[in-house]
Amino acid sequence: MASGGGSVAIGTGPRVRRVGFGALHLTGPDLWGPPADHDGAVRVVRRAVELGVTFIDTADSYGLGASEELLARALHPYPDGLVIATKAGKTRPSAGEWLPLGRPEYLRQQAELSLRRLKVERIDLFQLHCVDPQVPAAEQFGALKTLQEEGKVRDVGLSEVTVEQLEEARRCIDVVSVQNRYNLADRRHEAMVDHCEREGIAFIPWEPLDLGRLTAPDGAVAATAKALGATPAQVAIAWLLRRSPVMLPIPGTRSLRHLAENVASGDLCLSDADFATLSGPVGP
């Protein structure tokens, strides 16, 4: 069960357990369209909730809406305490393209579509997928504020932003979460993690596992995992949980076995020595 790791507050909603689930990969090849094994994907999502996961992250662009539709099929009506976050602000003109699109009318359109696909009257957490450099940032943040004022969105978050952009947004609207890429091997956003912790803002690291760089047999992650009787993925997630109390990792998977391992990482306790070792360089 996802009882370990504690919980974190996200805005005005219920506190959620700090090992969430990312629904990005429950889509088709190249994250385009529905998954080939639709029933298998439904089983994974339902099992995540059975294991105690209370936070699921998705986006309108994941599978061109297929991820949101799958969550609704698997879980609606949603259990009490479950928070589903979605995002808008990127478009997919082809399978290999992810382009910013932050025009206010587009963000509104996508929010309406997400409401329909998720089968809800209000989105728990609506995140701007990225700041579109072609649109004034104030207009993008203002669109989120309007959706919130209309009751279509409960809380607002940002993704792929700098500290400066976050603070600009906060002058317009209450921002309760930030979702940037962050893991043991990629710590470019250390300053953002620290800023979110000081401000009481949840930090949702996307791609929390970078196992291609973390599983070298002579590396610190593999050695720590062996010593603790854990997997490298569990060690990587445990390090994130130890890194900051506002950290909310969202590892995603199509595998029931990996799902169980990921959830169990909340119960893995790193010693001060383990944490210090892992916090050093992890290779090129």
Side-chain angles (χ1 to χ4, degrees):
M1 296 292 289
S3 56
S7 64
V8 64
I10 300 186
T12 58
R15 294 183 69 88
V16 298
R17 289 170 176 165
R18 287 210 299 143
V19 179
F21 180 80
L24 168 64
H25 293 287
L26 297 183
T27 54
D30 298 319
L31 311 177
W32 187 265
D37 182 5
H38 194 276
D39 290 344
V42 167
R43 285 193 293 271
V44 168
V45 172
R46 289 177 176 167
R47 183 58 178 158
V49 174
E50 290 171 358
L51 290 172
V53 169
T54 56
F55 181 84
I56 298 177
D57 174 81
T58 186
D60 65 334
S61 54
Y62 295 173
L64 304 181
S67 176
E68 292 177 328
E69 291 173 348
L70 187 143
L71 292 177
R73 176 181 172 185
L75 301 173
H76 190 272
Y78 302 108
D80 292 341
L82 178 65
V83 173
I84 295 181
T86 193
K87 298 180 286 293
K90 282 190 175 182
T91 186
R92 304 280 307 277
S94 71
E97 294 180 282
W98 299 73
L99 302 179
L101 184 51
R103 294 197 303 270
E105 63 272 21
Y106 180 76
L107 296 177
R108 169 175 289 278
Q109 168 190 290
Q110 295 309 104
E112 297 284 0
L113 289 172
S114 291
L115 286 165
R116 186 183 308 170
R117 287 190 290 255
L118 289 170
K119 298 183 179 180
V120 295
E121 295 183 357
R122 182 179 66 174
I123 296 170
D124 295 333
L125 175 62
F126 190 62
Q127 304 165 95
L128 181 64
H129 209 150
C130 67
V131 177
D132 185 346
Q134 303 302 317
V135 178
E139 293 184 10
Q140 299 172 69
F141 304 146
L144 302 181
K145 181 178 182 180
T146 299
L147 288 166
Q148 189 177 48
E149 290 174 342
E150 293 174 354
K152 298 180 185 295
V153 169
R154 184 176 69 202
D155 290 306
V156 168
L158 303 177
S159 180
E160 300 181 23
V161 291
T162 64
V163 171
E164 292 73 22
Q165 289 171 325
L166 167 61
E167 289 309 303
E168 179 183 355
R170 292 179 73 197
R171 290 193 286 272
C172 169
I173 192 169
D174 184 28
V175 178
V176 305
S177 67
V178 168
Q179 187 171 19
N180 285 2
R181 187 178 192 269
Y182 184 80
N183 55 55
L184 258 172
D186 183 352
R187 306 178 202 168
R188 288 171 293 172
H189 294 291
E190 292 277 25
M192 178 64 84
V193 175
D194 293 336
H195 186 75
C196 286
E197 184 173 332
R198 286 192 298 270
E199 298 297 318
I201 297 170
F203 184 87
I204 307 168
W206 65 266
E207 200 166 289
L209 306 177
D210 190 349
L211 297 183
R213 298 178 62 187
L214 299 177
T215 55
D218 57 346
V221 176
T224 301
K226 183 177 180 180
L228 295 175
T231 67
Q234 288 176 322
V235 169
I237 295 170
W239 181 86
L240 288 169
L241 296 174
R242 174 75 183 268
R243 171 64 179 83
S244 172
V246 299
M247 192 78 70
L248 174 54
I250 49 168
T253 180
R254 298 182 179 94
S255 163
L256 289 170
R257 179 173 64 85
H258 290 157
L259 170 66
E261 290 176 355
N262 292 341
V263 170
S265 62
D267 296 316
L268 184 64
C269 295
L270 300 178
S271 68
D272 291 344
D274 288 336
F275 182 75
T277 298
L278 292 167
S279 298
V282 295

